[in-house]
Amino acid sequence: MSRKKKLSFSFNIEVVMEFLKKIAIDKPVYLVFVPLISVIWAFEKWVFSISTWVPLAIAVWATLQYESYQRKILAEDLNRKWKRAMLDISPTTALEHCEWLNRLLLEVWPSYIHPRISSRFSYIVERRLKYKKPKLVESFKLEEFSLGSSPPKVGLQGMRWSTVRDQQRIMHTSFDWDTKDMNIMLLAKLAKPLYGTARISINYLHIKGDVQLMPVLDGRAILLSFISVPEVRLGIALGSGGSQLPGMELPVVSSWLVKLLTDTLVKTMVEPRRRCLTLSAVQLGKRAVGGILYVTVVGASQLSRNVVKGSPTSTQVGSNHASEEHLNKDVKTFVEVEIEEITRRTDAKPGSSPQWDSTFNMVLHDNAGVLKFHLYECSPGSVKFDHLATCEIKVRYCEDDSTIFWAIGPDSGVIVKRVECCGKAVEINVPFEAVESGELMVRLVLKEWQFSGGSKSVGLHLNAQSTLSGLSNSKTGRKLYVTVKEATDIPGKDKLGRSEPYVRLQYGKVVQKTRAVKQTSNPVWNQTFEFDEITGGEYLKLKCLYEETFGDEVIGSATVNMEGLEAGLIRDVPVPLENANSGEVRLQIEAVSEVSNGGPGNGLIELVLIEARDLVAADLRGTSDPYVKVQYGNETRRTKVVYKTVNPSWNQTFEFPDDGSMLELQVKDHNAILSSSSIGNCIVQYQRLPPNEVSEKWIPLQGVKKGEIHVQITRKVPDLQKITSVDSDFLSNRAHAISDQMKNMLIELESSVEDKDAEEILSTLSELQSLEDSQEQYMLQLETERMLLLNKIGDLGQELLNSSPNLSRRISY
């Protein structure tokens, strides 16, 4: 045993000595550290303790090294761009004067360019202020928007043209916009602890910089960008909501708005970011407000060590190429697709040319959008991902009903594709930004654009503001029927992938929700909800949640644009969930004018309350005493009370005149001493039912965790030509029978009071209430039949007068 230990010890000594010899040959400087460390240890041990200062010194040294490394990378990147520019750009043309262009802009600015730019910029300003407002401001309202009568001045020192390697011509010129008669008025609603409103007036704007314009697609579009960050100045004045604006300048507000405008320019149109200006020959006058885009991440190619930064180095001796291939085969990468708040991921694939072939459904909430593709490295056995590179593809709707896709190409060039109609696939190979190698292969299909109604409008619309600014809107008179069909790929709540998802919809101030479907990631609801359509571009807000005992958990959310709905046409809308890695909800939306079949006021609404199931237990014993309160317009009815159950059965029928009112059911728990508590409510939709056909359905209760009610609803529309007279004897006998029953109930009530049987007293009172309601129904039916007969008599008299002119003349005499 001791011999083995000695052998292992001697073997370790030999390995250490061999390692030290190798270091002495390869790195002789490292041997100096051994005595140096010994001296430091002795100084620490017997002279002065320096261990507390070592971490600080190391941190300072690391910071300086990192700054030096960043400066070195920046210098290399600038040198590389400069060399590329010198190689790729041919000598520029001679300086050309463009005073004629400024004169042209001055002529066409007031009547053509200014209205179009104001309309577009006002929408951009509203969206930016919604998402980038200060904490002390609750919401912004854009009251006025005018850019003034002074157009920007282009090329004061002239312009030059250059040609890149692919024969793409670029115009370089200056841009100077100095306007002092503009008027942008914002009404800010202040949040806590400040209350009230404040008006912000922007009366001066100055933007100055160098721009480049690149015609693409044979002149159908222009890519516009600033070469560097432009100089931006704003003039701001502030006043209260009801007073006039003072003339003072506010540096705080001014600096915040300048920063907001500068950041917007940097993110959208400072190199290499470029804004697309379409020059469509045909303008159809349609305004796109959203679209559905299918994105397929096909694969990547030429991923090398310049892209895959976190790869381990190979210790084998061989060629650099073989080492790099071996390295890339061990690395797994995936792509995250992002557009606004929607993100989706591919699976992780190995190699330098991974193939994902993953398709995602994405949604645009405007006529343009930016698709971002982030490349990540997936390390084995680690939950963290290393970000490697990014690339972008922009999409935009053109006024000739075509769609443009563009991206930054190789050597800071441009890639532009155009499709004439929806449904056509476009394949683009996009190089990753800020790296020397690697490109992404993407296939895009613009399935459809959604429009705001098709009316042509080039002016500024400020009367019907969108609720993105927090404004209230009015009703249009139409009904919106939203059917929540199903969902797919909902993330599982537990390890087995089980969950109980449901969907909550909010349109305006109305909130509806579906029932919860247990233990599934692909729930099916097929539930329809009714909303009153609201003007001003109101969005339908959707949330998918897990049902939990102690508070529901949000899976994801989304917004659905409700503009451009044509009456009678059903729009099938797949809605990908935002702030979630997967999940999609399918909706069907239909807009219907408020004209019911047969017309309101012509017939009866018959409601049969059959039963309910799985109600909320309101009592400590785990049961309830449920009854239903029916509200139809100004009329109120109620069922009998069913005691000690969460699955009651009523089987009671109610009838109401069909006047188009909302039919609401409120399920309550009866309490003899305290007021009744609510255990759910719902709205019964009957306006779209065919006449004289029975509709039977289970309706989930709102405002509670669980519970459904079983109803039958019928729209009774009588045929006036075949209507028969009312059997008065039958109704009279039935009324007498109800009176006799009520007398017997009163006798039973007196007996129960004498016996002091509280439960029997409550049951008898409930049955008396039901009998009284039945009596009111018969009286209502008699009144309805009497009015129908009177109307029929009047119609017959009018027809008789119209068909007999002689009789009409005699009556007039």
Side-chain angles (χ1 to χ4, degrees), residues 122 126 141-145 459-465 471:
S122 64
E126 283 184 310
K141 176 184 177 182
L142 185 61
E143 292 188 331
E144 297 181 17
F145 195 97
L460 176 61
H461 299 275
L462 295 177
N463 295 328
Q465 296 285 351
L471 307 179

Side-chain angles (χ1 to χ4, degrees), residues 160-198:
R160 297 178 183 272
W161 288 88
S162 62
T163 306
V164 295
R165 179 183 298 173
D166 55 357
Q167 302 302 315
Q168 177 67 56
R169 290 176 59 82
I170 303 177
M171 185 180 77
H172 304 268
T173 186
S174 61
F175 181 90
D176 191 353
W177 193 3
D178 192 349
T179 174
K180 298 181 180 180
D181 59 347
M182 67 180 304
N183 185 18
I184 301 178
M185 188 78 70
L186 302 173
L187 180 63
K189 183 178 179 182
L190 304 180
K192 297 179 181 179
L194 303 175
Y195 289 96
T197 58

Side-chain angles (χ1 to χ4, degrees), residues 468-484:
L468 291 174
S469 301
L471 307 179
S472 59
N473 299 310
S474 59
K475 298 180 180 179
T476 64
R478 297 198 306 177
K479 294 288 185 180
L480 298 180
Y481 294 95
V482 180
T483 302
V484 184

Side-chain angles (χ1 to χ4, degrees), residues 748-768:
E748 293 179 4
L749 181 61
E750 292 177 0
S751 176
S752 301
V753 171
E754 292 176 359
D755 297 338
K756 297 182 180 181
D757 190 350
E759 186 172 339
E760 185 65 27
I761 292 173
L762 293 176
S763 178
T764 305
L765 288 175
S766 177
E767 293 182 8
L768 280 172

Side-chain angles (χ1 to χ4, degrees), residues 593-654:
S593 301
E594 286 190 302
V595 179
S596 59
N597 297 326
N602 186 15
L604 298 173
I605 298 298
E606 181 184 82
L607 173 67
V608 181
L609 295 175
I610 303 174
E611 58 183 335
R613 65 188 180 192
D614 201 21
L615 297 179
V616 173
D619 302 333
L620 295 177
R621 60 179 181 268
T623 60
S624 297
D625 303 325
Y627 70 94
V628 181
K629 179 181 177 181
V630 185
Q631 185 74 37
Y632 184 80
N634 296 325
E635 298 187 42
T636 303
R637 309 284 178 80
R638 56 169 285 177
T639 65
K640 61 185 178 183
V641 180
V642 181
Y643 293 94
K644 299 180 181 179
T645 181
V646 292
N647 299 297
S649 179
W650 296 287
N651 290 312
Q652 290 185 245
T653 303
F654 303 94

Side-chain angles (χ1 to χ4, degrees), residues 71-88:
R71 287 195 300 269
K72 181 179 178 181
I73 291 179
L74 182 60
E76 291 178 354
D77 184 65
L78 291 176
N79 290 332
R80 185 170 59 251
K81 289 183 177 179
W82 174 254
K83 291 178 181 179
R84 184 188 305 157
M86 295 298 295
L87 291 174
D88 293 346

